Amino acid sequence: MQVDNKDYRTIWYNADTKNIEVIDQRVLPFKFEIVEVKSATEMSKIILEMYVRGAGLIGAAAAWGIYLAAKENSDISFIEKSAKELSETRPTAVNLQAAIDVMIPELRIAAKEDRLELAKNLAQQISDNDANSCKRIGELGYNYIENKIAKGKKRRINILTHCNAGWLAFVDYGSALAPIYEAYNNGMDIHVYVDETRPRNQGARLTAWELGKHGIPHTLIADNVGGHLMQHGMVDMVIVGADRVANNGDVANKIGTYLKALAAYDNNVPFVVAFPTTTFDANIKNGVKDIPIEMRDGDEVLYMNGISEKEEESFRIAPEFTQAVNYGFDVTPSRLISAYFTEKGIFESVEGLL
Amino acid sequence: MQVDNKDYRTIWYNADTKNIEVIDQRVLPFKFEIVEVKSATEMSKIILEMYVRGAGLIGAAAAWGIYLAAKENSDISFIEKSAKELSETRPTAVNLQAAIDVMIPELRIAAKEDRLELAKNLAQQISDNDANSCKRIGELGYNYIENKIAKGKKRRINILTHCNAGWLAFVDYGSALAPIYEAYNNGMDIHVYVDETRPRNQGARLTAWELGKHGIPHTLIADNVGGHLMQHGMVDMVIVGADRVANNGDVANKIGTYLKALAAYDNNVPFVVAFPTTTFDANIKNGVKDIPIEMRDGDEVLYMNGISEKEEESFRIAPEFTQAVNYGFDVTPSRLISAYFTEKGIFESVEGLL
């Protein structure tokens, strides 16, 4: 999507240098920096240190990492060793392993001299597939918004989102934000309430940044506010992304999603989840019971990052003696979910995905 | 309650100086500073600049402000002028006006030479009444916890609270935290999940501080986490304070309270509201519809306060171009509330208060 009127993806092949470039998401929104990645080892570091994050983007980064390995040394043993390093950076990232599982078998049977070109084409394909899935979610979702949410309302449409499921989490377009971009690009008068998303503030840092850079009106709110807004008819739809969607339709997503789903349900506000179908995991029978929730470092709660003069710093916001607990995600029961937006269609029940 | 094994109130009369002392709550938890207040004008400033906050404490501060006025000049015209200044500092603070309404008529009919002593006694009485009401809420609430929450559980009891309704918001004991202090002082194995309470972080700053200083085990969590904890049986009871309780039992309290009530309801976790009955307003028929919600400065969302080296600073956490909206409170419908804890008793329905 656009940054100051110029089109960007989160990761791309530079035809001049034959290297890969990514947006360094660690320093957003205070700095916009593009980093050149020259080897598979560098790509592993880039993924591990979270220059890039988000399911779709991590998958594409791994694919381009394998391309960089083939560029350095097209022996299959070297490429496989690099793939192993890449897969160990974020062991729970499904798309990362999927990219490797697509590329390695094909590279293994290819002739040594064909591997570089093949790796480049496969990585480009994985990137494009991710972007195209998201683009499709955007088109389908826009249609839903137009027909089910905005119809008959001759006023601005207000959407609430939690965390960042925008183009920064994918190669382009995003999942939850894709329908919003599509609606905005088609001239709909749309406004987004952006949940700050403590403790890592992906809403305040990334969602606010990407919406604002594309020109979309948005307002940052504390995570506590959504219930009040919905009570008073100020939200027309809640849309979130998904980290995992279980067989029963339960959705694991950033911690706090469940509270917004409860508030939406209590106030008859449609609550929809947007995701590429690669996120659906039919093996998980019951999301609330079976999806393990990552516990992250309590320091993310105890300290806050922000900018004072020029440089970003980390600040303690609680007493010295206070400890924190930091669950990264929660699971929203399917009974609270109005619709699932995927590139394969929009479903009221997850049965459409089975 | 205790700070490092010494008993404190939030406001007190110093018999040596004949002035008033308060804890400066603006600099907690990073500094513990006691400020001497020597005149009614100084007390107005102390209230306006939020050295002191919380319904009960503001009422006591106004009462001691009138005492300080009488000390400076016991002419009734001077005392009334000071009372007017005090009442204008926080126009929506019910307890502030109530303290003035009790004291001024009595001072008006008293002889000039008796006014100082009378003002001192009345202010002390208002302070003591506030502390005693809270102490009573603590006793009744502890009884409830013991009989309805902890009974049969041979393990630590986990309570979740939102914002600060502890002794720092009153003269002593607090409302929501009073039953927790009482339980802890009586040897119950109790632990508190403290909602950070964005955007002003009263949980991270004040609740964590006062619990920790009294020795009570507690864990700070992002406001997003409570739903997940309740889904997994990790919370035995939610207890919050109240800014206003309406005739129909709806409760206005810090923004985000409603989301916790929804999660408690959805998981059969008792959700209780603790308050001195002065907070009950029978004139408000329907809380959700009729209680006006304060909108505060968006900068509270865009900036965060914390400590880096030694000094506390303010930091921006969102893009420059992003605006924020900042509702201070929300209203929790009575249907989500299990019990009302007051100094007059514990009620399942607000009808007990009518």
Side-chain angles (χ1 to χ4, degrees):
Chain A
M1 306 310 293
Q2 297 204 318
V3 178
D4 300 332
N5 299 315
K6 196 179 157 195
D7 278 316
Y8 280 92
R9 284 183 163 189
T10 52
I11 189 165
W12 63 90
Y13 172 76
N14 181 322
D16 296 331
T17 62
K18 300 195 189 332
N19 288 325
I20 306 307
E21 292 177 8
V22 303
I23 297 170
D24 182 357
Q25 299 196 21
R26 302 169 311 160
V27 297
L28 289 176
F30 306 119
K31 290 178 190 167
F32 178 59
E33 286 181 358
I34 290 163
V35 174
E36 187 178 2
V37 192
K38 296 176 191 153
S39 69
T41 305
E42 276 182 31
M43 188 63 86
S44 287
K45 177 173 164 282
I46 288 285
I47 298 171
L48 188 68
E49 295 180 5
M50 296 178 84
Y51 287 60
V52 296
R53 26 66 64 192
L57 174 50
I58 289 174
W64 286 115
I66 291 172
Y67 154 75
L68 288 169
K71 183 157 89 85
E72 188 173 345
N73 178 346
S74 56
D75 287 348
I76 193 66
S77 62
F78 181 81
I79 297 174
E80 286 186 337
K81 188 174 137 283
S82 299
K84 188 159 178 294
E85 273 173 28
L86 285 160
S87 77
E88 283 165 357
T89 54
R90 297 287 300 270
T92 60
V94 178
N95 295 49
L96 192 160
Q97 195 55 49
I100 292 170
D101 291 347
V102 163
M103 290 180 74
I104 292 297
E106 294 217 35
L107 292 171
R108 203 179 284 137
I109 57 171
K112 186 172 189 299
E113 64 273 21
D114 297 336
R115 281 191 188 125
L116 177 57
E117 188 64 14
L118 179 62
K120 177 169 164 281
N121 291 341
L122 288 170
Q124 188 64 56
Q125 212 171 75
I126 286 170
S127 280
D128 290 346
N129 285 349
D130 182 77
N132 291 340
S133 281
C134 288
K135 173 88 174 125
R136 184 74 188 131
I137 292 169
E139 290 159 357
L140 292 164
Y142 167 50
N143 189 269
Y144 182 97
I145 294 172
E146 206 175 31
N147 292 312
K148 301 222 172 174
I149 307 294
K151 202 160 199 169
K153 298 194 180 95
K154 301 213 175 293
R155 58 160 175 82
R156 173 167 276 197
I157 298 302
N158 293 294
I159 312 263
L160 186 145
T161 192
H162 189 70
C163 198
N164 178 259
W167 69 274
L168 289 171
F170 294 88
V171 173
D172 207 351
Y173 304 102
S175 54
L177 298 193
I180 294 167
Y181 286 119
E182 192 71 17
Y184 176 81
N185 292 345
N186 279 281
M188 185 181 279
D189 184 16
I190 199 162
H191 164 263
V192 185
Y193 282 111
V194 178
D195 269 3
E196 169 179 54
T197 320
R198 283 283 289 149
R200 284 172 62 83
N201 294 12
Q202 293 94 333
R205 297 180 67 110
L206 303 177
T207 301
W209 184 85
E210 63 165 272
L211 290 174
K213 285 295 184 187
H214 196 80
I216 297 180
H218 64 283
T219 301
L220 181 68
I221 50 175
D223 300 310
N224 286 318
V225 179
H228 172 74
L229 296 179
M230 290 187 240
Q231 257 179 352
H232 293 272
M234 296 163 78
V235 176
D236 296 302
M237 178 174 101
V238 179
I239 186 163
V240 297
D243 281 74
R244 275 166 113 170
V245 179
N247 197 60
N248 70 343
D250 292 355
V251 169
N253 192 47
K254 184 65 69 248
I255 190 85
T257 303
Y258 167 49
L259 294 171
K260 294 302 137 62
L262 284 167
Y265 189 81
D266 201 43
N267 295 287
N268 289 311
V269 174
F271 180 91
V272 308
V273 184
F275 53 95
T277 48
T278 47
T279 304
F280 181 62
D281 187 346
N283 295 321
I284 300 174
K285 294 288 169 228
N286 181 311
V288 173
K289 282 195 190 143
D290 302 336
I291 298 178
I293 296 299
E294 176 186 15
M295 258 177 84
R296 302 176 52 86
D297 194 331
D299 279 357
E300 290 183 355
V301 182
L302 296 172
Y303 292 84
M304 178 71 105
N305 278 36
I307 194 161
S308 52
E309 296 299 320
K310 278 271 169 73
E311 289 305 309
E312 188 175 342
E313 288 183 71
S314 177
F315 309 101
R316 192 170 177 99
I317 61 162
E320 272 174 51
F321 49 72
T322 292
Q323 60 164 352
V325 69
N326 186 10
Y327 295 90
F329 302 90
D330 62 17
V331 179
T332 299
S334 59
R335 68 189 146 80
L336 302 174
I337 297 171
S338 312
Y340 300 85
F341 287 10
T342 78
E343 84 284 6
K344 294 189 181 160
I346 288 181
F347 307 100
E348 285 191 8
S349 147
V350 81
E351 279 163 35
L353 287 170
L354 289 172
Chain B
M1 307 308 296
Q2 295 203 319
V3 178
D4 301 332
N5 300 314
K6 193 177 158 199
D7 279 316
Y8 280 91
R9 285 183 162 190
T10 51
I11 189 166
W12 62 90
Y13 172 76
N14 181 321
D16 296 330
T17 62
K18 300 197 189 332
N19 288 325
I20 305 306
E21 293 176 9
V22 302
I23 297 169
D24 182 357
Q25 299 195 19
R26 299 169 314 159
V27 297
L28 289 176
F30 306 118
K31 291 179 188 167
F32 179 60
E33 286 180 358
I34 289 163
V35 174
E36 186 178 3
V37 192
K38 296 176 190 154
S39 69
T41 304
E42 277 183 30
M43 188 62 87
S44 289
K45 177 172 163 283
I46 288 285
I47 298 171
L48 189 67
E49 295 179 4
M50 297 179 83
Y51 287 60
V52 296
R53 28 63 67 190
L57 173 50
I58 288 173
W64 286 115
I66 291 171
Y67 154 76
L68 288 169
K71 184 156 89 82
E72 189 175 343
N73 178 345
S74 57
D75 286 349
I76 193 67
S77 62
F78 181 81
I79 296 173
E80 287 186 337
K81 189 173 136 283
S82 300
K84 189 160 178 294
E85 272 173 28
L86 285 160
S87 77
E88 283 164 359
T89 54
R90 299 286 302 268
T92 60
V94 178
N95 294 51
L96 191 162
Q97 196 55 51
I100 292 170
D101 290 348
V102 163
M103 289 181 73
I104 293 297
E106 294 218 35
L107 292 171
R108 204 180 282 138
I109 57 173
K112 186 171 187 304
E113 64 274 20
D114 295 336
R115 282 192 187 125
L116 178 57
E117 187 66 14
L118 179 61
K120 178 169 163 279
N121 291 341
L122 288 171
Q124 188 64 56
Q125 212 172 75
I126 286 170
S127 280
D128 291 346
N129 284 350
D130 181 78
N132 291 339
S133 282
C134 288
K135 173 92 174 123
R136 184 74 187 132
I137 292 169
E139 291 159 357
L140 291 165
Y142 167 51
N143 190 269
Y144 182 98
I145 295 172
E146 206 174 32
N147 292 312
K148 301 221 170 177
I149 307 293
K151 202 159 198 171
K153 299 194 179 91
K154 300 214 176 296
R155 58 160 176 81
R156 174 169 276 199
I157 298 302
N158 294 295
I159 312 263
L160 185 144
T161 192
H162 189 69
C163 199
N164 177 261
W167 69 273
L168 289 172
F170 293 88
V171 172
D172 208 352
Y173 304 103
S175 54
L177 299 192
I180 294 167
Y181 286 118
E182 192 71 18
Y184 176 82
N185 292 346
N186 279 280
M188 183 180 281
D189 184 15
I190 198 162
H191 164 262
V192 185
Y193 283 110
V194 178
D195 269 3
E196 170 179 50
T197 321
R198 283 283 289 149
R200 284 173 62 86
N201 294 12
Q202 293 94 334
R205 298 181 66 112
L206 303 177
T207 301
W209 183 84
E210 63 164 273
L211 290 173
K213 284 295 185 187
H214 196 80
I216 297 180
H218 65 281
T219 302
L220 183 66
I221 50 175
D223 300 309
N224 286 318
V225 179
H228 171 74
L229 296 179
M230 290 187 239
Q231 258 180 351
H232 292 272
M234 295 163 76
V235 175
D236 297 302
M237 178 175 99
V238 179
I239 187 164
V240 297
D243 282 74
R244 276 165 111 168
V245 180
N247 197 60
N248 69 343
D250 292 355
V251 169
N253 192 46
K254 185 64 69 246
I255 190 85
T257 303
Y258 167 49
L259 294 171
K260 295 300 137 63
L262 284 167
Y265 189 82
D266 200 44
N267 295 287
N268 290 311
V269 173
F271 180 90
V272 307
V273 183
F275 54 95
T277 46
T278 47
T279 304
F280 182 61
D281 187 345
N283 294 321
I284 300 175
K285 294 290 170 223
N286 181 310
V288 172
K289 282 193 190 148
D290 301 337
I291 298 178
I293 297 299
E294 175 186 15
M295 258 177 84
R296 302 176 52 85
D297 195 331
D299 279 358
E300 289 182 356
V301 181
L302 296 172
Y303 292 83
M304 178 71 104
N305 278 35
I307 194 160
S308 53
E309 296 300 319
K310 277 272 169 72
E311 288 306 309
E312 186 176 343
E313 288 182 72
S314 177
F315 310 101
R316 191 168 178 102
I317 60 163
E320 271 173 51
F321 50 72
T322 292
Q323 61 164 351
V325 69
N326 186 8
Y327 294 90
F329 303 89
D330 63 16
V331 179
T332 299
S334 58
R335 67 189 148 82
L336 301 173
I337 297 171
S338 312
Y340 300 84
F341 286 10
T342 78
E343 83 284 5
K344 293 188 181 159
I346 287 179
F347 306 100
E348 286 191 7
S349 147
V350 81
E351 280 164 36
L353 287 170
L354 289 172

